[in-house]
DNA sequence: TTCTAGTCAATAAT
DNA sequence: ATTATTGACTAGAA
């Protein structure tokens, strides 16, 4: 493993003297980080006393230092600090506590709204001076990064080994992908170090030499060594990876997995350190690179790296797969005979008597889902009052309601490719962010449920039987909606006969029975479809007041470069030049047309020393991929899913009814 | 505290 | 047996 790492270190040493820290390119910083990490690792293992006591003990800013910085451009300092933090995935908390002696909240505020120097008191200037010193000290970042791992080993564990939340050890062979620099952590890092090393011509030979098997160190099954140093790799790589075509990567991965009969579970656990479900989502709905946070990019980087040496990696997987199969088989047969052998797993079972009951997941009824979607449409960010109301109406806990809203917002955004604002899920005109009006809510919900039932009826009677005598057990009875009493607006819906729909449109509005937006529009920035429906004009009348106040705070996106959100898309160049390293990204799009496109290759440039900031450089945002395929809807409006005449309901109902 | 992102892990659906 | 969904949790940030 020295090969790569050593090379990197050497390279760093030779070409990255020290001097202009500020001007150091990411590559150089990378190299030096590697370097420092290596050194650290070589030294005595983590001591209980990290060289950094910090915490509240940071008051030493000497008068001299104050004098030294008689005038700082706070904005500039903050900008650079933010760059550093995001680049190396350093949390505000860590930075605040170890560098500034401030809490996360303070750091957030400081970074978000730095006051101009002249408006700061002596005390107020301290943090900025510390930041400035931090920026001026090249090693500071490195130390921080290194300490981050030492301080939070579980972080490494997390990516390092897949160990479900609970029981650590488990019979199901725990595979862990140590995330230390396995010699061939391949493509990315090496390329970088080479470039930095100033071996422009360093040919493929070097690269090739690494590939040849060997990565003896990274064997699965070893438990996190206490000295799990060299935490770099994926994180650092993530920090400097300019851009990856997530769509392409996932497509390729799916192809390979399918062709080789590898399941998501196996792949996820051994290669990505993720569960099957997560892998599924990742592969079927990859988010575009620019919308991913550093953390979120990790799996893609791992996949990319995995693809670099597909054959060998596949081999490894196959091996693991067969191993598993064998062991499970063995275990089974063994169990049959010797009932109680238990060797390892027993410890847990005995020591935990109650934890047995695995909590079952809450399942919402269709009605509840409808209600939630409606409420969401009326107000994606319900306040406490609204949530309380929903709790009552749906007989769900506050926690559950808020969770649902959180999840729904995120998932909706993800699927609409939403670039920015979470607001306009609804046709703007109508009911909007206002407080959720109970009456209106009930009215609309009632209407919605009726439609649903009608649809269901149709579906059920699809064959020949008429929907007439449908067992619409739904409303009134079993439904958890005690309200629905027709009143308000004189809706005659008490009887809920399926036919009433025809005349009940006193307000007009076409009931969208099934409208879905056929063409999705490019999501960027704007509100996606606007098909929404009904009630537009009608509802309005009721709560038409002019006061449109409370607009919730959507909270800023947390991806690496939020500025991109509003960025105009740039032309995608087939090849990018990053710090001298030319990365051919190959096309994208197209997807998997039989012969896969050329493999992305990396070649080293003669080093042109460009700027360190790729800045806005994004590909064409292939977001246009025709979605709609599998399941287009999800909007509160279009209701496609309920199509299966499922006799569910099974309303527990119990005792609500107030 | 609440929001965003990323996941987990129980269930559903294939 | 796999893959897709989705309620709940957990970090980090604001």
């Amino acid at each position: 493993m020295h090969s790569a790492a050593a090379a990197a270190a050497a390279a760093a040493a030779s070409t990255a003297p020290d001097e202009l820290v500020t001007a150091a390119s990411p590559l150089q910083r990378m190299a030096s980080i590697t370097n420092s990490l290596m050194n650290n690792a070589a030294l005595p293992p983590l001591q209980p006393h990290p060289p950094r006591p910090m915490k509240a003990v940071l008051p030493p800013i000497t008068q001299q230092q104050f004098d030294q910085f008689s005038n700082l451009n706070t904005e500039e300092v903050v900008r650079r600090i933010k760059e550093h933090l995001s680049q190396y995935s350093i949390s505000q908390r860590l930075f605040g506590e170890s560098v500034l002696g401030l809490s996360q909240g303070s750091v957030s505020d400081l970074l978000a709204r730095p006051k101009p120097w002249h408006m700061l008191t002596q005390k107020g200037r301290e943090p900025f001076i510390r930041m400035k010193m931090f920026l001026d000290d090249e090693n500071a970042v490195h130390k921080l990064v290194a300490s981050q791992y030492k301080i939070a080993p579980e972080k490494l564990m997390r990516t390092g080994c897949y160990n479900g939340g609970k029981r650590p050890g488990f019979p199901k062979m725990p595979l862990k992908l140590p995330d230390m620099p396995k010699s061939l952590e391949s493509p990315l890092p090496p390329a970088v170090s080479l470039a930095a090393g100033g071996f422009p011509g360093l040919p493929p030979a070097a690269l090739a030499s690494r590939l040849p098997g060997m990565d003896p160190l990274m064997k699965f099954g070893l438990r996190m060594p206490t000295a799990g140093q060299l935490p770099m790799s994926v994180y650092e790589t993530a920090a400097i990876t300019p851009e990856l075509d997530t769509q392409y990567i996932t497509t390729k991965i799916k192809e390979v997995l399918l062709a080789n009969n590898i399941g998501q579970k196996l792949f996820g656990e051994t290669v990505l350190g993720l569960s099957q479900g997560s892998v599924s989502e990742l592969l079927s709905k990859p988010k575009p690179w620019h919308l991913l946070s550093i953390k979120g990019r990790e799996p893609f980087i791992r996949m990319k790296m995995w693809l670099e040496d597909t054959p060998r990696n596949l081999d490894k997987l196959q091996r693991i797969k067969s191993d598993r199969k064998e062991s499970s088989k063995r275990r089974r047969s063994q169990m049959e005979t010797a009932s109680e052998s238990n060797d390892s797993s027993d410890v847990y079972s005995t020591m935990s008597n109650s934890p047995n009951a695995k909590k079952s997941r809450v399942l919402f009824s269709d009605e509840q889902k409808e209600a939630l979607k409606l409420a969401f449409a009326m107000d994606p960010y319900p306040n406490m009052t609204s949530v309380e109301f929903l709790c009552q109406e749906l007989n769900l806990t506050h926690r559950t309601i808020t969770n649902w809203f959180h999840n729904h917002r995120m998932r909706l955004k993800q699927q609409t490719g939403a670039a920015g604002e979470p607001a306009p899920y609804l046709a703007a005109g109508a009911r909007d962010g206002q407080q959720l009006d109970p009456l209106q809510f009930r009215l609309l919900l009632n209407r919605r449920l009726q439609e649903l039932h009608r649809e269901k009826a149709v579906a059920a009677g699809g064959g020949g039987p008429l929907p007439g005598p449908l067992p619409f057990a739904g409303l009134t009875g079993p439904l958890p909606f005690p309200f629905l009493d027709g009143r308000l607006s004189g809706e005659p819906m008490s009887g809920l006969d399926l036919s009433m729909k025809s005349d009940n449109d006193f307000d007009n509005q076409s009931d969208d029975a099934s409208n879905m937006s056929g063409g999705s529009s490019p999501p960027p920035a704007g509100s996606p479809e606007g098909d929404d429906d009904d009630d537009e004009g009608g509802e309005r009348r009721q709560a038409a007041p002019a006061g449109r106040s409370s607009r919730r705070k959507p909270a800023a996106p947390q991806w690496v470069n939020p500025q991109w959100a509003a960025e105009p898309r740039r032309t995608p160049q087939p090849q990018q030049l990053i710090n001298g390293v030319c990365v051919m990204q190959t096309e994208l799009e197209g997807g998997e047309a039989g012969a896969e496109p050329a493999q992305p290759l990396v070649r080293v440039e003669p080093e042109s020393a460009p700027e360190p900031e790729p800045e806005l450089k994004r590909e064409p945002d292939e977001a246009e991929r025709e979605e709609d395929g599998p399941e287009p809807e999800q909007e509160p409006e279009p209701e496609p899913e309920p199509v299966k005449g499922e006799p569910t309901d099974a309303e527990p109902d119990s005792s609500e009814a107030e």
Side-chain angles (χ1 to χ4, degrees), chain A residues 60 76 160 271 335 358 400 520 552:
Chain A
E76 162 76 0
V271 179
M335 228 182 249
K358 39 184 182 178
T400 298
S520 52
R552 267 129 310 238

Short mmCIF file of all heavy atoms in Angstrom, two decimals, chain A residues 60 76 160 271 335 358 400 520 552:
data_model
loop_
_atom_site.label_atom_id
_atom_site.label_comp_id
_atom_site.label_asym_id
_atom_site.label_seq_id
_atom_site.Cartn_x
_atom_site.Cartn_y
_atom_site.Cartn_z
N PRO A 60 -6.14 32.61 24.15
CA PRO A 60 -4.87 33.31 23.98
C PRO A 60 -4.69 34.09 22.69
O PRO A 60 -3.94 33.72 21.86
CB PRO A 60 -3.86 32.17 24.03
CG PRO A 60 -4.60 31.04 23.42
CD PRO A 60 -6.03 31.24 23.77
N GLU A 76 -14.18 38.21 3.23
CA GLU A 76 -13.21 37.40 2.51
C GLU A 76 -12.76 36.21 3.37
O GLU A 76 -12.71 35.07 2.91
CB GLU A 76 -12.00 38.30 2.18
CG GLU A 76 -10.73 37.56 1.83
CD GLU A 76 -10.79 36.99 0.43
OE1 GLU A 76 -11.82 37.18 -0.24
OE2 GLU A 76 -9.81 36.35 0.03
N GLY A 160 -16.89 2.88 7.23
CA GLY A 160 -15.99 1.75 7.18
C GLY A 160 -16.68 0.42 7.21
O GLY A 160 -16.45 -0.43 6.37
N VAL A 271 -19.50 -3.11 -0.81
CA VAL A 271 -18.84 -2.04 -1.55
C VAL A 271 -19.16 -0.64 -1.05
O VAL A 271 -18.29 0.22 -0.96
CB VAL A 271 -19.17 -2.12 -3.05
CG1 VAL A 271 -18.51 -1.01 -3.81
CG2 VAL A 271 -18.76 -3.48 -3.58
N MET A 335 -27.76 -26.29 12.59
CA MET A 335 -28.82 -25.92 13.52
C MET A 335 -29.86 -27.00 13.68
O MET A 335 -30.38 -27.24 14.75
CB MET A 335 -29.49 -24.68 13.01
CG MET A 335 -29.61 -23.66 14.10
SD MET A 335 -30.43 -22.31 13.48
CE MET A 335 -29.32 -21.04 13.38
N LYS A 358 -39.48 -6.40 17.57
CA LYS A 358 -38.98 -5.43 16.62
C LYS A 358 -40.16 -4.57 16.26
O LYS A 358 -41.18 -5.03 15.80
CB LYS A 358 -38.43 -6.10 15.40
CG LYS A 358 -39.20 -7.30 14.93
CD LYS A 358 -38.46 -7.90 13.76
CE LYS A 358 -39.16 -9.08 13.16
NZ LYS A 358 -38.45 -9.61 12.03
N THR A 400 -45.17 11.56 14.17
CA THR A 400 -45.43 10.90 12.90
C THR A 400 -45.80 11.92 11.82
O THR A 400 -45.34 11.81 10.68
CB THR A 400 -46.58 9.88 13.06
OG1 THR A 400 -46.17 8.89 14.00
CG2 THR A 400 -46.89 9.21 11.75
N SER A 520 -43.25 16.69 -18.15
CA SER A 520 -42.73 17.34 -17.00
C SER A 520 -41.90 18.44 -17.55
O SER A 520 -41.43 18.40 -18.64
CB SER A 520 -41.83 16.38 -16.32
OG SER A 520 -40.96 15.92 -17.27
N ARG A 552 -42.89 30.12 5.45
CA ARG A 552 -41.91 29.40 6.24
C ARG A 552 -40.51 29.52 5.73
O ARG A 552 -40.28 29.84 4.59
CB ARG A 552 -42.26 27.94 6.28
CG ARG A 552 -43.06 27.65 7.44
CD ARG A 552 -44.25 26.90 7.02
NE ARG A 552 -44.90 27.55 5.95
CZ ARG A 552 -46.14 27.92 6.04
NH1 ARG A 552 -46.79 27.75 7.12
NH2 ARG A 552 -46.73 28.48 5.03
#
